[in-house]
Each structure stands twice: as C-alpha cells, then as structure tokens.
Amino acid sequence: MKETTVEAATDGMSDTANKRKPTAGSRRRTTETAASSPGGRSSTAIAVLSVVAIACSVAAVDLQQAATVCQHWLSTLFQSAGDQQCALTLPDFFEDILRPPIDCSYCQGLDTIEKVFNLSAEHFEKHYAYTGRPVVVVDDSRAERSADFGFQLFKNLSNSKLLTPCQFFPYKTEFNTLEEALNMDDQRAAMSPGYAPWYIGWSNCERKSINRLKEHITLPSFLPRLSDKKQTLWIFMGTPGHGAPMHIDKVAFPSWQTQISGYKKWTLRTPAECFFKCKRIFEVFMEPGSTIVLDTNIWYHETQTIGQDISITVGGEYD
C-alpha cells in the first residue's frame, strides 16, 4: 500500500458544486412483473427472463458489449410485463444485472489504494472526496474515541432504550434483532474459546441514539466542511474470521468507515464492465484509528475481521 504525507494544497479549489455530484450508483427499485395472465404468458415470460438473466450474468464477466445487449433485452421484458397487475421486488442478483453501466474512469490507472496521513479537509475535497477513488486516512490527530466505546456500552444503551437501530444486519448469525445480539452470552461476547464466532451491523438514524454515540467518538476531521454529514451512523462489530460478504450498496452518497478497534481486511472489486479497463481486485488492511473512504455504490466490497481482537467500526455518508 502506497504511503504519502499530505501537504497543503497550493492551487485553487475546484468548483465545489460540480464535485458534489454523487458518483454512479443506484437505489433499490421495484419492477412490475406479471403474476398471472391469460394463456400462461406470465409463466413463459418469467422462464425466459430467468434463462436470459443467467446467460447475461455469465456474459457480463467477459464482454461489456454482451452485458449491454442483455441489459436491453431484460429491460424490454420487464417493461412489457409492467402492464400486468402484480408487483414483484427484484432480488439483488437481478438488480445488479439491470444496473446502468458505470463509467470506468474512476478506476482506470489505479494500481493500489493510497494511504495518507493527517489529511486536511481542503486536500481531501480536491483530490479524493468526489472522484470515486478510495483512500485510507491514518493518524487523524483531531479524532477522539473513548476507551469504553465497545460491546458493553452498546448493550447498556440498548437495555436503556437509548440505542434504537433503523436497520439490522445479522449476517450469518442466528440473531433476529440488535437487542437479541447484544444480549448474547457474556462468554461469547468476550470471544472465549469454544464459543461460536459472530459478526453484526446496524444503523443509527434517531438523533437520541446518534448523540449518545457521539459522546464517545468524533467524526473524521477531513470530511468536506460544507458537506452535509448525513444523520446516520453505522456500527459493524464482530470476531476474527468473519465479516460482510462481497456486495455493492444502494445508498445515495460516498461513505467513510473508521476502524475503532481490532483489525480488518477489505477486498474491493471493480464491476464487470470495468474488468478490461481497470485492475479487478484490491486489498486494504485497516488498523485502529484508520478511516477508509469508499463509494460503495460503484465498488463491490467484502470485509473480514483479522487478528486476535473484536473489530468495531463506525461509518457514515457525506454529500
């Protein structure tokens, strides 16, 4: 990983308004699909759609043109089915196939994820914030984190009804809710030998929960000063050997994620249409105090907790 020391930017700032255009990505969407129609037409259409979708998913790995053609046919099929009466929410697999092609300029020429020290807001906004290129920031001298920011704090806040998640990701655990996860056996929470490993994540969007968490941490100091730090905080926490599987997000803005404790490996992958224009796979190793900035709408990514300690990260978005 390339390491550089950030120096003060000497030339003028680019037009901020133009930079604040979110990079390519897509939100979740619902497509109208026939559930029943005269003569069994919907059953035939769904069968054809499934075959075409599988063929397209294979072709898209190798040929951008094939992916474009498949996307056109799939869109046509869904549009013709849209006149029917019943709605079907598409799974992520189909959403990724129908996702508009991404401009690959954001990853062209990128050989490694840059690592920088004491990054200023001006330098970040000019060189990284809106380019789509990931960066890892370490040694943020203005960042403060309390020593008790961890599992027991989250459990106490949850039991006091001061930590209400807006969304909960159990990943491969058996937990159905955050409250259930935070009330796991103390020995398992402490990563005692013989206990099942675990990894969970959740979002905090209620002001009460966010303010409680902000009593123990500060946001990265290099985020653009005029940007709107979205009022949602994410927490990801788990034991070594586990993490989030490879996926792409459907959020509105670029994201940041700070490693509070433990160590984590990120694996980034470019989308299929960029395979022949950009390097396909990047690995990033995160240590306590480092922050990765990533547009998760255009970078496929997975994480894995490594080392011997429980990993805790905090994240959010900026525009």
mmCIF file of all heavy atoms in Angstrom, residues 32-59:
data_model
loop_
_atom_site.group_PDB
_atom_site.id
_atom_site.type_symbol
_atom_site.label_atom_id
_atom_site.label_comp_id
_atom_site.label_asym_id
_atom_site.label_seq_id
_atom_site.Cartn_x
_atom_site.Cartn_y
_atom_site.Cartn_z
ATOM 1 N N GLU A 32 -42.454 -3.931 -11.983
ATOM 2 C CA GLU A 32 -43.753 -4.569 -12.147
ATOM 3 C C GLU A 32 -43.586 -5.804 -13.020
ATOM 4 O O GLU A 32 -43.066 -5.741 -14.120
ATOM 5 C CB GLU A 32 -44.725 -3.591 -12.826
ATOM 6 C CG GLU A 32 -44.966 -2.319 -12.039
ATOM 7 C CD GLU A 32 -45.754 -2.589 -10.775
ATOM 8 O OE1 GLU A 32 -46.563 -3.529 -10.800
ATOM 9 O OE2 GLU A 32 -45.556 -1.880 -9.791
ATOM 10 N N THR A 33 -44.030 -6.966 -12.522
ATOM 11 C CA THR A 33 -43.916 -8.213 -13.258
ATOM 12 C C THR A 33 -45.226 -8.972 -13.159
ATOM 13 O O THR A 33 -45.849 -8.997 -12.111
ATOM 14 C CB THR A 33 -42.766 -9.072 -12.677
ATOM 15 O OG1 THR A 33 -41.575 -8.290 -12.687
ATOM 16 C CG2 THR A 33 -42.557 -10.336 -13.504
ATOM 17 N N ALA A 34 -45.608 -9.624 -14.197
ATOM 18 C CA ALA A 34 -46.885 -10.340 -14.210
ATOM 19 C C ALA A 34 -46.863 -11.519 -13.272
ATOM 20 O O ALA A 34 -45.937 -12.299 -13.246
ATOM 21 C CB ALA A 34 -47.183 -10.839 -15.623
ATOM 22 N N ALA A 35 -47.932 -11.634 -12.462
ATOM 23 C CA ALA A 35 -48.087 -12.811 -11.622
ATOM 24 C C ALA A 35 -49.034 -13.805 -12.284
ATOM 25 O O ALA A 35 -48.958 -15.005 -12.057
ATOM 26 C CB ALA A 35 -48.619 -12.421 -10.254
ATOM 27 N N SER A 36 -49.949 -13.310 -13.098
ATOM 28 C CA SER A 36 -50.860 -14.194 -13.823
ATOM 29 C C SER A 36 -51.351 -13.473 -15.061
ATOM 30 O O SER A 36 -51.504 -12.268 -15.065
ATOM 31 C CB SER A 36 -52.048 -14.592 -12.930
ATOM 32 O OG SER A 36 -52.775 -13.446 -12.552
ATOM 33 N N SER A 37 -51.577 -14.218 -16.130
ATOM 34 C CA SER A 37 -52.089 -13.626 -17.357
ATOM 35 C C SER A 37 -52.696 -14.731 -18.205
ATOM 36 O O SER A 37 -52.351 -15.904 -18.052
ATOM 37 C CB SER A 37 -50.966 -12.918 -18.132
ATOM 38 O OG SER A 37 -49.919 -13.816 -18.450
ATOM 39 N N PRO A 38 -53.594 -14.367 -19.125
ATOM 40 C CA PRO A 38 -54.280 -15.367 -19.941
ATOM 41 C C PRO A 38 -53.295 -16.213 -20.730
ATOM 42 O O PRO A 38 -52.311 -15.714 -21.263
ATOM 43 C CB PRO A 38 -55.179 -14.527 -20.857
ATOM 44 C CG PRO A 38 -55.373 -13.239 -20.115
ATOM 45 C CD PRO A 38 -54.091 -13.019 -19.382
ATOM 46 N N GLY A 39 -53.612 -17.513 -20.821
ATOM 47 C CA GLY A 39 -52.825 -18.381 -21.680
ATOM 48 C C GLY A 39 -51.456 -18.714 -21.123
ATOM 49 O O GLY A 39 -50.608 -19.224 -21.824
ATOM 50 N N GLY A 40 -51.193 -18.403 -19.849
ATOM 51 C CA GLY A 40 -49.901 -18.756 -19.267
ATOM 52 C C GLY A 40 -48.761 -17.899 -19.762
ATOM 53 O O GLY A 40 -47.605 -18.296 -19.700
ATOM 54 N N ARG A 41 -49.055 -16.683 -20.276
ATOM 55 C CA ARG A 41 -47.993 -15.834 -20.833
ATOM 56 C C ARG A 41 -46.993 -15.426 -19.773
ATOM 57 O O ARG A 41 -45.801 -15.322 -20.041
ATOM 58 C CB ARG A 41 -48.609 -14.602 -21.491
ATOM 59 C CG ARG A 41 -49.311 -14.904 -22.806
ATOM 60 C CD ARG A 41 -49.874 -13.640 -23.410
ATOM 61 N NE ARG A 41 -50.864 -13.041 -22.515
ATOM 62 C CZ ARG A 41 -51.375 -11.829 -22.707
ATOM 63 N NH1 ARG A 41 -50.973 -11.088 -23.728
ATOM 64 N NH2 ARG A 41 -52.281 -11.359 -21.870
ATOM 65 N N SER A 42 -47.471 -15.150 -18.523
ATOM 66 C CA SER A 42 -46.541 -14.683 -17.499
ATOM 67 C C SER A 42 -45.561 -15.779 -17.120
ATOM 68 O O SER A 42 -44.394 -15.512 -16.857
ATOM 69 C CB SER A 42 -47.298 -14.193 -16.264
ATOM 70 O OG SER A 42 -47.824 -15.281 -15.551
ATOM 71 N N SER A 43 -46.019 -17.051 -17.055
ATOM 72 C CA SER A 43 -45.114 -18.143 -16.712
ATOM 73 C C SER A 43 -44.018 -18.280 -17.750
ATOM 74 O O SER A 43 -42.843 -18.479 -17.431
ATOM 75 C CB SER A 43 -45.896 -19.462 -16.603
ATOM 76 O OG SER A 43 -46.876 -19.381 -15.587
ATOM 77 N N THR A 44 -44.409 -18.147 -19.018
ATOM 78 C CA THR A 44 -43.414 -18.215 -20.093
ATOM 79 C C THR A 44 -42.434 -17.059 -20.003
ATOM 80 O O THR A 44 -41.227 -17.235 -20.152
ATOM 81 C CB THR A 44 -44.117 -18.198 -21.462
ATOM 82 O OG1 THR A 44 -45.027 -19.283 -21.530
ATOM 83 C CG2 THR A 44 -43.093 -18.315 -22.584
ATOM 84 N N ALA A 45 -42.974 -15.860 -19.729
ATOM 85 C CA ALA A 45 -42.108 -14.678 -19.652
ATOM 86 C C ALA A 45 -41.098 -14.803 -18.521
ATOM 87 O O ALA A 45 -39.923 -14.467 -18.664
ATOM 88 C CB ALA A 45 -42.954 -13.418 -19.463
ATOM 89 N N ILE A 46 -41.555 -15.320 -17.370
ATOM 90 C CA ILE A 46 -40.660 -15.482 -16.225
ATOM 91 C C ILE A 46 -39.586 -16.517 -16.525
ATOM 92 O O ILE A 46 -38.419 -16.353 -16.183
ATOM 93 C CB ILE A 46 -41.457 -15.876 -14.970
ATOM 94 C CG1 ILE A 46 -42.340 -14.700 -14.523
ATOM 95 C CG2 ILE A 46 -40.527 -16.283 -13.834
ATOM 96 C CD1 ILE A 46 -43.244 -15.023 -13.360
ATOM 97 N N ALA A 47 -39.971 -17.614 -17.202
ATOM 98 C CA ALA A 47 -38.998 -18.646 -17.555
ATOM 99 C C ALA A 47 -37.938 -18.098 -18.498
ATOM 100 O O ALA A 47 -36.741 -18.333 -18.333
ATOM 101 C CB ALA A 47 -39.713 -19.845 -18.183
ATOM 102 N N VAL A 48 -38.409 -17.352 -19.524
ATOM 103 C CA VAL A 48 -37.471 -16.746 -20.474
ATOM 104 C C VAL A 48 -36.559 -15.763 -19.769
ATOM 105 O O VAL A 48 -35.347 -15.709 -19.997
ATOM 106 C CB VAL A 48 -38.250 -16.046 -21.614
ATOM 107 C CG1 VAL A 48 -37.293 -15.243 -22.496
ATOM 108 C CG2 VAL A 48 -38.999 -17.076 -22.446
ATOM 109 N N LEU A 49 -37.146 -14.966 -18.872
ATOM 110 C CA LEU A 49 -36.376 -13.980 -18.113
ATOM 111 C C LEU A 49 -35.271 -14.646 -17.305
ATOM 112 O O LEU A 49 -34.140 -14.173 -17.263
ATOM 113 C CB LEU A 49 -37.297 -13.204 -17.184
ATOM 114 C CG LEU A 49 -36.632 -12.230 -16.203
ATOM 115 C CD1 LEU A 49 -35.887 -11.152 -16.958
ATOM 116 C CD2 LEU A 49 -37.668 -11.630 -15.277
ATOM 117 N N SER A 50 -35.581 -15.759 -16.666
ATOM 118 C CA SER A 50 -34.597 -16.453 -15.840
ATOM 119 C C SER A 50 -33.432 -16.946 -16.684
ATOM 120 O O SER A 50 -32.274 -16.808 -16.301
ATOM 121 C CB SER A 50 -35.244 -17.630 -15.113
ATOM 122 O OG SER A 50 -36.293 -17.191 -14.278
ATOM 123 N N VAL A 51 -33.742 -17.537 -17.849
ATOM 124 C CA VAL A 51 -32.684 -18.031 -18.735
ATOM 125 C C VAL A 51 -31.805 -16.889 -19.220
ATOM 126 O O VAL A 51 -30.575 -16.966 -19.210
ATOM 127 C CB VAL A 51 -33.295 -18.793 -19.935
ATOM 128 C CG1 VAL A 51 -32.210 -19.155 -20.935
ATOM 129 C CG2 VAL A 51 -34.008 -20.044 -19.448
ATOM 130 N N VAL A 52 -32.451 -15.801 -19.660
ATOM 131 C CA VAL A 52 -31.691 -14.659 -20.157
ATOM 132 C C VAL A 52 -30.834 -14.054 -19.056
ATOM 133 O O VAL A 52 -29.689 -13.677 -19.267
ATOM 134 C CB VAL A 52 -32.645 -13.589 -20.732
ATOM 135 C CG1 VAL A 52 -31.865 -12.337 -21.130
ATOM 136 C CG2 VAL A 52 -33.366 -14.146 -21.956
ATOM 137 N N ALA A 53 -31.387 -13.959 -17.830
ATOM 138 C CA ALA A 53 -30.644 -13.371 -16.715
ATOM 139 C C ALA A 53 -29.385 -14.168 -16.423
ATOM 140 O O ALA A 53 -28.313 -13.613 -16.191
ATOM 141 C CB ALA A 53 -31.532 -13.303 -15.476
ATOM 142 N N ILE A 54 -29.487 -15.514 -16.411
ATOM 143 C CA ILE A 54 -28.323 -16.352 -16.142
ATOM 144 C C ILE A 54 -27.284 -16.197 -17.238
ATOM 145 O O ILE A 54 -26.078 -16.057 -16.973
ATOM 146 C CB ILE A 54 -28.750 -17.821 -16.011
ATOM 147 C CG1 ILE A 54 -29.633 -18.003 -14.767
ATOM 148 C CG2 ILE A 54 -27.532 -18.734 -15.932
ATOM 149 C CD1 ILE A 54 -30.245 -19.371 -14.653
ATOM 150 N N ALA A 55 -27.740 -16.184 -18.492
ATOM 151 C CA ALA A 55 -26.805 -16.012 -19.604
ATOM 152 C C ALA A 55 -26.103 -14.671 -19.532
ATOM 153 O O ALA A 55 -24.903 -14.559 -19.770
ATOM 154 C CB ALA A 55 -27.543 -16.160 -20.940
ATOM 155 N N CYS A 56 -26.860 -13.647 -19.163
ATOM 156 C CA CYS A 56 -26.278 -12.305 -19.091
ATOM 157 C C CYS A 56 -25.260 -12.202 -17.972
ATOM 158 O O CYS A 56 -24.238 -11.538 -18.111
ATOM 159 C CB CYS A 56 -27.377 -11.260 -18.878
ATOM 160 S SG CYS A 56 -28.412 -11.017 -20.335
ATOM 161 N N SER A 57 -25.544 -12.840 -16.850
ATOM 162 C CA SER A 57 -24.624 -12.746 -15.718
ATOM 163 C C SER A 57 -23.283 -13.375 -16.066
ATOM 164 O O SER A 57 -22.236 -12.938 -15.596
ATOM 165 C CB SER A 57 -25.220 -13.437 -14.495
ATOM 166 O OG SER A 57 -25.368 -14.814 -14.731
ATOM 167 N N VAL A 58 -23.308 -14.444 -16.906
ATOM 168 C CA VAL A 58 -22.052 -15.065 -17.338
ATOM 169 C C VAL A 58 -21.361 -14.202 -18.377
ATOM 170 O O VAL A 58 -20.156 -13.947 -18.314
ATOM 171 C CB VAL A 58 -22.332 -16.474 -17.904
ATOM 172 C CG1 VAL A 58 -21.056 -17.075 -18.470
ATOM 173 C CG2 VAL A 58 -22.902 -17.368 -16.821
ATOM 174 N N ALA A 59 -22.123 -13.731 -19.342
ATOM 175 C CA ALA A 59 -21.529 -12.934 -20.420
ATOM 176 C C ALA A 59 -20.946 -11.636 -19.917
ATOM 177 O O ALA A 59 -19.922 -11.160 -20.402
ATOM 178 C CB ALA A 59 -22.585 -12.651 -21.497
#
